[in-house]
Amino acid sequence: MASTLVKIDIHLIFHVKSTGVKMRTEDLGRIFAYIGGIIKGIGGLPIEIGGMTDHVHILTSLPKTVSLADFVRAVKADSSKWMKQLDPCYAAFACQEEYGAFSVSPSLIDKTVKYIRGQEEHHKKRTFQEEYRLFLEAYGIEYDERYAFSD
């Protein structure tokens, strides 16, 4: 084989620190677009980015040269730094260190895109914690309730 061929799609979810400030609704489009630029800049392919004022969902193809941990660190650090320059209201903005990353089958890409686009409607029915628990349970991930939702 003459080249390395990789296609790893993930659904990344992370929450802002509960002690920090939330993203303003009117800034979400710009923030999500900026995150897409970060992903492209490190060799990834953003498929869909969305969320709410307190959390972000990213569906992306990972770059083959960057580990998941380094990818997430770059996305969160670079977007947080940019937000602090965007407006003084974000001076205390920070993301939780933890995140969830879930593999997505090619057959479920469209369904995941729809899910991310439907966040506003979805969160009329359940909280972020309820949503996140469902992901953890669906993927069979064991977790300690004391730490899963803390800063």
Side-chain angles (χ1 to χ4, degrees):
M1 180 178 286
S3 62
T4 303
L5 305 172
V6 176
K7 179 77 159 92
I8 301 172
D9 296 323
I10 62 155
H11 182 175
L12 173 65
I13 305 169
F14 58 89
H15 198 276
V16 302
K17 277 195 172 191
S18 61
T19 56
V21 297
K22 292 181 181 180
M23 298 173 285
R24 297 183 306 200
T25 302
E26 62 267 24
D27 293 333
L28 290 178
R30 289 177 66 193
I31 293 167
F32 299 155
Y34 192 83
I35 290 172
I38 294 168
I39 292 169
K40 289 177 187 174
I42 55 178
L45 175 65
I47 301 167
E48 188 68 32
I49 303 169
M52 301 294 289
T53 60
D54 64 348
H55 70 281
V56 177
H57 289 262
I58 299 171
L59 177 60
T60 185
S61 291
L62 290 177
K64 66 181 179 182
T65 57
V66 180
S67 72
L68 174 61
D70 288 343
F71 176 85
V72 174
R73 188 177 306 110
V75 168
K76 291 184 349 180
D78 292 354
S79 61
S80 293
K81 181 179 177 183
W82 176 79
M83 286 175 60
K84 290 176 182 186
Q85 296 170 352
L86 176 66
D87 193 290
C89 76
Y90 292 120
F93 180 84
C95 296
Q96 291 180 338
E97 287 185 36
E98 295 76 19
Y99 59 88
F102 307 95
S103 59
V104 178
S105 166
S107 64
L108 295 175
I109 294 292
D110 289 342
K111 183 177 180 180
T112 306
V113 167
K114 289 177 187 171
Y115 178 81
I116 293 172
R117 288 182 181 168
Q119 283 294 292
E120 188 173 333
E121 188 63 31
H122 177 73
H123 284 289
K124 289 179 181 176
K125 299 173 187 167
R126 67 175 45 109
T127 67
F128 171 78
Q129 285 83 2
E130 292 168 332
E131 171 188 54
Y132 196 60
R133 271 189 202 96
L134 290 174
F135 273 96
L136 296 173
E137 291 165 6
Y139 279 83
I141 298 172
E142 293 183 24
Y143 63 97
D144 187 327
E145 189 77 28
R146 295 174 296 171
Y147 306 111
F149 303 104
S150 64
D151 288 341

